Amino acid sequence: MFILNPQSGIPIYRQILEQVRRMVASGQLPPGTALPSVRDLALRHTINPMTISRAYSILETEGLLERHRGRPMTVASQAKNHSQLPKRLQQIGPLVEQTVVAAKQLELSEAELVKAVRREWEQDDE
Amino acid sequence: MKAVLRLVYSYFMGTLAMRVLTIAGLMVMLISFAILVTQPHAGDSVWIAMIGLLAFFLGSSLMPLMVGRLARSHAVGILPGARFKLLASAFLTTLIVAIPAGVLSPAAFLSGMSTSLSEIVKHPGALEYVVQMALILFTSVMLFAGWLYLAMWFMSNEPNAIGSIKALLVIAILMFAPARDLQDLTMTASWNLLQIAVIWIVFGAVFLLWPRYKARREQRVSQRPAGARVGLRRSTAGREFDLMLGTSNPWLLIASQVLPVLIATRFVGDFTSIWLFYLTIFSTVTGAIAGEAASRSRALWLRGNWSRDELFSQVERSFWRHNAYVLGSLILVLLFVGSFSGFPAMLLVVGVPLLALGTVLSTYLGLMITRGLRSIESVIAVAVMLTLMAVAIFIVQEPLDLITVLAIEAGLAVLALILRSQARNRWTRIDWMECRRDRVMTARGA
Amino acid sequence: MNNAAVEAANLCKAFGQKQVLQDVSFGVSPGDVIGVLGKNGAGKTTLLEIMLGFTAPTAGAIRVFGHESRKLPGDIKARVGFVPQQDELLDQLTVADQLRVIASFYSHWDFELIDRLCGEWGVNVNARIKGMSVGERQKLSILLAFGHKPELLILDEPVASLDPIARRQFLEQLLTISADGQRSIVFSSHIVSDIERLANRIWILKDGRLDWQGDLDSLKESIVRLHIRGSGAELPRLEIPGVLNVRRDGAFATAVVRDWTAEAQESLEKSASVQIEVETLGLEEVFVELHR
């Protein structure tokens, strides 16, 4: 369910955080969906279980996940509303920044970049 | 040839200690030679030359170790002609060690006779005698050195009980054949040369053909059907501690001591004086196993409910269980050989304690080695060995000086107690990082 | 922390004149999986052996489950497992006999687990140890430390001779052991990717000191490579906090820094009017950069 790369410079718990956030925000993980247990995930990816529980705990305090006694964690029912617009914008901030830097290096104008973004957006919607 | 010379050079000069011994030995022999040539009636000073020769020989004691290691390294299979060159370097070393004896002996003879070379030359018979004598001494030293190197090879390349036993066997052969000749003055140059030739040809053939034999043996093993050996399971219950310490099987040690003795009785039954000497050396073999106890005990400490003090008591107990069998069998052999060749009863009365002392002393000496073999332990070990050998020789002298012998044995018993308390002391502070030995070279059969 | 598996304060160790460890302090809590990294001769083996009391520190104190490590009582030792760098197997025995010998020292040996692992790892219990390859010996050596289900498992380069498949099986087993969160594992290795998978904490030993100890995650967040771009043709002199090394090239520079934070980035960007791109580093690169 996750794509995890232990060798990456991005800590594993962050990789999980970002992927869960993205999948919840995009609706790929609708509210109520059960997540794999820490143990399963650790064994499947051969990674330290503490790292995974750390990511799950952060997601829980963010309100994205809900913990249940004796059952797997699930995506919180109001998870989608919970993620307010400023927060979501903040999340995409670094990506936008990178894109803008790259565009400047390629000597693209602002309008050209916006146009490219729009084209990509519409293609994805189809 | 360059490689051979380079090898020989590093045998004598490889380490600082070797260099000091080699150069000191050569200097002493030169001085002795000068004394013999310039001073008349100086034949008695030949012992100076002997010391020099001994130092020179010890200076080359790196040879068996280096040859053994190189012969087992991967390099020997890759370097061109490596095996042959190693063999040649070993032979050349033995030759070099023997040459001074051949040069010094005529000088000693001339000095003793107070004549000069020019006068001897006038008498063809005398000249022939001097040459003959030089040749005998040269070949004797070469023969002795060869055997001793072989013993050192076993000791240094198999630092375990098996290696010590092999070395002892070599020394035993040395005691029986060439040493006996030396004592009885029945050596001749041609007999020596014959022995040298046989020994070196046999050793050389084994050394050169070893890889071929090994390859064939491995092939045979690999052809054996898989799982053929499954089924035979020795029970290990109750012997775990001894197994991990290496004291679980005294019978191997016993067999390797008793068998050669019994075979030898068949041939040299009348040569009584050597027996006690021989058995005394055997009684100290257990020290070789004890010397490994410290490094082996690490796993025991981690797995068992013992403090360091208690661990020593356990180890000590285990060694006594082991030694009881070995010592018992040696005493039986002594009694057997004694009755077989008619030893005086008193000799047995003082001989049995001597064997026991050999076992006890060597066990505690071995147990004292908790920080690897250092010079102090080596010095004590050599001193104890020499004392035991000297006592063994002293006992068989007629008439028997009972009081002195008993006094010496009592002294050795006190020494054993001191060594034990020292060993115990060291075990309470045992540090397994310090006692780990260079295990890389122990053969793994890979 | 009272239930700590290991607590060490100001450990020093010298062999003669050579100082191997200097002022090393650490704690191991239940659930910790600690990866020990260091160059050859950095003191890893010495540190691990001091932890189990095989050797005494020259100065400092170390306790395992509350007991001085040099004087561990039997019930504490039964909670500890150790895989030495060089195996200490009994060459003359078969695998099964060796396992039985070691099992006899414990009251709670899990024969079932070891039998299963022998099967999974392809260890032939009827083989004689003398004829086994280095990798097989290593596997057996590891099994000997697993059978009594230790709460503290210390492994000194346990996987150096294992193939990738065997290593993965070994990692999976370690994960299973650590999954209940009650057991602690300390292991040294040069295989950084294994440590990255398995460890949640990292110790980096450098010249006998613990140069870095903490979460693997924080290590990766704290040590980063900066790509700095100035506005002019020549980059102005920069005061970069926590810098490990810098390479300048006209208007560009790359710098590796430790203890990096977003605030530090902001203030640097403002004060020097430069643009900074942050590149995160894998553990191997972090290790190399710390030793530059």
Side-chain angles (χ1 to χ4, degrees):
Chain A
M1 155 172 180
F2 298 114
I3 301 166
L4 301 177
N5 177 9
Q7 267 93 287
S8 142
I10 302 163
I12 294 172
Y13 86 97
R14 276 189 177 277
Q15 298 180 32
I16 298 174
L17 286 186
E18 273 157 31
Q19 289 177 36
V20 172
R21 282 179 192 148
R22 213 176 308 147
M23 283 191 279
V24 170
S26 70
Q28 256 178 295
L29 287 179
T33 319
L35 276 101
S37 78
V38 169
R39 205 190 146 85
D40 283 353
L41 212 51
L43 285 175
R44 192 179 317 155
H45 293 273
T46 341
I47 48 174
N48 188 296
M50 301 255 280
T51 318
I52 301 164
S53 17
R54 182 172 174 201
Y56 278 9
S57 300
I58 294 174
L59 289 167
E60 191 191 358
T61 46
E62 280 182 5
L64 232 59
L65 298 182
E66 272 172 358
R67 197 180 290 275
H68 309 278
R69 197 174 278 275
R71 277 195 296 129
M73 289 190 102
T74 56
V75 178
S77 43
Q78 65 285 65
K80 202 160 182 180
N81 310 342
H82 220 85
S83 205
Q84 296 300 328
L85 181 64
K87 207 165 179 188
R88 279 180 280 155
L89 271 176
Q90 196 190 339
Q91 265 179 46
I92 204 167
L95 289 174
V96 173
E97 195 186 320
Q98 265 181 33
T99 315
V100 170
V101 169
K104 280 181 179 168
Q105 281 168 345
L106 292 166
E107 294 177 349
L108 298 176
S109 71
E110 189 190 335
E112 280 164 329
L113 177 63
V114 170
K115 217 158 88 189
V117 170
R118 187 171 298 139
R119 203 164 43 232
E120 184 66 29
W121 188 282
E122 282 161 3
Q123 232 170 40
D124 211 45
D125 275 354
E126 279 162 16
Chain B
M1 197 58 205
K2 213 175 81 190
V4 174
L5 291 178
R6 166 54 61 183
L7 280 169
V8 172
Y9 177 78
S10 39
Y11 300 151
F12 284 100
M13 301 299 217
T15 67
L16 185 63
M18 296 300 134
R19 218 171 303 159
V20 169
L21 278 169
T22 304
I23 293 171
L26 281 174
M27 300 282 275
V28 169
M29 284 191 292
L30 264 178
I31 292 167
S32 155
F33 186 73
I35 293 174
L36 291 171
V37 169
T38 55
Q39 308 286 307
H41 300 295
D44 289 345
S45 73
V46 75
W47 61 270
I48 300 176
M50 303 266 271
I51 289 175
L53 185 62
L54 188 67
F56 190 53
F57 171 75
L58 289 176
S60 70
S61 56
L62 212 57
M63 189 273 272
L65 180 73
M66 274 182 70
V67 172
R69 284 202 175 185
L70 286 171
R72 261 186 288 117
S73 71
H74 292 95
V76 82
I78 298 165
L79 300 173
R83 237 164 220 283
F84 183 76
K85 284 174 187 166
L86 274 178
L87 184 65
S89 74
F91 186 75
L92 190 60
T93 307
T94 321
L95 211 63
I96 290 173
V97 164
I99 285 173
V103 175
L104 282 163
S105 61
F109 176 75
L110 295 180
S111 175
M113 295 274 119
S114 298
T115 55
S116 66
L117 194 62
S118 50
E119 273 178 59
I120 288 287
V121 174
K122 288 174 196 154
H123 307 279
L127 182 66
E128 196 186 316
Y129 179 74
V130 170
V131 170
Q132 192 67 24
M133 198 181 67
L135 205 56
I136 286 177
L137 266 150
F138 169 70
T139 51
S140 298
V141 171
M142 201 173 159
L143 185 62
F144 257 83
W147 281 116
L148 286 175
Y149 283 134
L150 192 61
M152 286 157 113
W153 161 297
F154 287 131
M155 293 258 233
S156 53
N157 287 298
E158 290 178 66
N160 52 35
I162 307 289
S164 316
I165 291 165
K166 285 183 188 164
L168 277 181
L169 282 179
V170 171
I171 291 173
I173 293 171
L174 195 60
M175 309 264 53
F176 277 127
R180 213 172 137 196
D181 290 346
L182 199 65
Q183 203 171 359
D184 302 354
L185 293 174
T186 54
M187 293 178 291
T188 61
S190 56
W191 172 230
N192 275 349
L193 278 173
L194 185 70
Q195 288 185 70
I196 291 172
V198 169
I199 289 163
W200 278 95
I201 286 170
V202 169
F203 177 75
V206 171
F207 187 78
L208 292 177
L209 296 176
W210 184 254
R212 240 181 268 181
Y213 164 74
K214 215 174 117 187
R216 199 169 298 171
R217 193 183 57 176
E218 269 162 19
Q219 201 179 7
R220 237 179 305 150
V221 170
S222 67
Q223 278 167 357
R224 207 173 289 166
R229 285 208 239 162
V230 177
L232 189 74
R233 265 194 205 168
R234 276 178 306 147
S235 160
T236 54
R239 301 191 298 128
E240 293 84 4
F241 191 96
D242 298 342
L243 263 169
M244 288 173 74
L245 208 56
T247 55
S248 61
N249 196 357
W251 299 110
L252 189 74
L253 196 57
I254 290 170
S256 58
Q257 294 183 346
V258 172
L259 279 179
V261 173
L262 292 182
I263 293 167
T265 43
R266 182 82 190 76
F267 299 103
V268 282
D270 59 325
F271 201 59
T272 51
S273 61
I274 206 79
W275 281 115
L276 191 62
F277 181 79
Y278 192 8
L279 291 173
T280 308
I281 297 181
F282 269 175
S283 73
T284 61
V285 173
T286 183
I289 307 174
E292 300 237 302
S295 58
R296 284 177 168 218
S297 66
R298 179 167 110 148
L300 282 170
W301 183 78
L302 186 66
R303 312 248 181 208
N305 183 14
W306 304 290
S307 67
R308 281 167 162 77
D309 290 310
E310 290 158 350
L311 188 62
F312 178 76
S313 308
Q314 291 289 332
V315 168
E316 197 183 13
R317 218 168 294 161
S318 169
F319 267 95
W320 275 114
R321 276 197 297 273
H322 176 258
N323 287 349
Y325 290 102
V326 180
L327 185 58
S329 73
L330 275 182
I331 290 172
L332 280 179
V333 167
L334 181 67
L335 294 176
F336 173 74
V337 173
S339 60
F340 183 74
S341 42
F343 282 8
M346 279 320 273
L347 200 142
L348 297 179
V349 170
V350 289
V352 170
L354 188 66
L355 292 187
L357 281 169
T359 305
V360 176
L361 283 167
S362 68
T363 301
Y364 287 118
L365 251 171
L367 292 180
M368 261 174 67
I369 302 172
T370 58
R371 305 170 305 168
L373 190 62
R374 298 195 182 182
S375 44
I376 298 177
E377 290 89 1
S378 318
V379 167
I380 298 177
V382 169
V384 166
M385 277 298 268
L386 288 178
T387 314
L388 286 169
M389 290 176 179
V391 175
I393 291 173
F394 184 66
I395 285 178
V396 293
Q397 304 288 320
E398 295 284 346
L400 177 66
D401 186 350
L402 192 64
I403 305 294
T404 312
V405 170
L406 287 179
I408 293 173
E409 288 189 347
L412 287 175
V414 171
L415 179 65
L417 288 175
I418 295 170
L419 291 184
R420 179 181 181 272
S421 74
Q422 188 61 36
R424 171 163 213 122
N425 234 328
R426 290 187 176 188
W427 275 69
T428 59
R429 286 175 287 126
I430 195 167
D431 186 322
W432 281 283
M433 281 204 95
E434 285 182 1
C435 68
R436 193 173 322 130
R437 298 167 55 170
D438 172 32
R439 281 165 184 263
V440 184
M441 289 313 294
T442 53
R444 267 194 180 166
Chain C
M1 230 189 298
N2 255 342
N3 60 345
V6 187
E7 286 173 296
N10 312 104
L11 290 180
C12 297
K13 177 73 183 179
F15 291 107
Q17 292 292 310
K18 199 178 168 232
Q19 198 74 31
V20 180
L21 292 179
Q22 285 181 58
D23 203 25
V24 173
S25 302
F26 55 83
V28 179
S29 312
D32 272 350
V33 182
I34 297 170
V36 185
L37 276 171
K39 287 202 294 187
N40 298 324
K44 297 187 297 290
T45 296
T46 308
L47 181 64
L48 297 186
E49 301 220 342
I50 283 181
M51 287 173 74
L52 289 183
F54 291 130
T55 187
T58 325
I62 177 153
R63 302 179 85 77
V64 175
F65 296 120
H67 291 262
E68 197 188 322
S69 72
R70 289 249 311 159
K71 296 175 181 159
L72 297 182
D75 55 331
I76 298 296
K77 288 184 207 164
R79 292 160 67 188
V80 168
F82 178 60
V83 180
Q85 196 170 22
Q86 267 177 346
D87 67 63
E88 293 163 345
L89 304 173
L90 301 166
D91 278 341
Q92 71 272 25
L93 298 189
T94 64
V95 171
D97 280 339
Q98 169 82 72
L99 284 166
R100 269 185 230 124
V101 165
I102 296 301
S104 73
F105 284 84
Y106 299 101
S107 57
H108 53 288
W109 187 266
D110 190 340
F111 284 97
E112 223 169 279
L113 170 74
I114 297 302
D115 275 354
R116 188 171 56 84
L117 288 179
C118 278
E120 284 174 12
W121 295 11
V123 176
N124 176 8
V125 293
N126 294 312
R128 200 160 287 277
I129 292 170
K130 199 171 186 171
M132 299 203 313
S133 72
V134 183
E136 287 173 310
R137 295 176 73 104
Q138 212 156 44
K139 285 184 198 171
L140 178 56
S141 200
I142 293 167
L143 288 176
L144 292 178
F146 276 4
H148 56 295
K149 298 190 160 176
E151 287 165 53
L152 171 65
L153 187 54
I154 294 179
L155 309 103
D156 194 359
E157 285 185 41
V159 294
S161 313
L162 297 188
D163 62 58
I165 308 294
R167 249 171 47 221
R168 185 57 70 90
Q169 286 172 327
F170 162 75
L171 291 186
E172 279 166 7
Q173 192 50 42
L174 279 190
L175 282 176
T176 317
I177 289 172
S178 75
D180 66 2
Q182 299 307 307
R183 297 166 201 279
S184 318
I185 298 172
V186 181
F187 74 112
S188 73
S189 178
H190 290 301
I191 301 169
V192 180
S193 61
D194 285 352
I195 289 188
E196 250 168 343
R197 284 186 177 281
L198 198 61
N200 66 325
R201 290 173 68 76
I202 301 287
W203 296 348
I204 295 180
L205 269 171
K206 187 177 167 188
D207 304 327
R209 293 176 189 278
L210 267 184
D211 193 38
W212 211 96
Q213 62 167 320
D215 286 353
L216 171 61
D217 296 334
S218 358
L219 177 65
K220 282 185 172 178
E221 282 165 356
S222 134
I223 297 181
V224 293
R225 185 180 289 138
L226 305 178
H227 297 266
I228 305 167
R229 200 152 47 87
S231 37
E234 195 71 21
L235 204 61
R237 275 214 75 73
L238 294 171
E239 286 292 326
I240 311 171
V243 68
L244 292 170
N245 59 65
V246 194
R247 206 162 50 222
R248 303 170 67 101
D249 184 14
F252 295 92
T254 56
V256 176
V257 293
R258 66 191 293 170
D259 307 321
W260 189 245
T261 57
E263 294 83 65
Q265 177 172 356
E266 219 166 282
S267 76
L268 186 64
E269 276 179 327
K270 278 206 181 111
S271 65
S273 74
V274 288
Q275 275 191 313
I276 297 176
E277 222 180 307
V278 178
E279 181 195 358
T280 55
L281 300 177
L283 184 56
E284 181 151 336
E285 272 192 89
V286 167
F287 181 72
V288 171
E289 291 294 349
L290 280 176
H291 285 81
R292 279 247 163 96

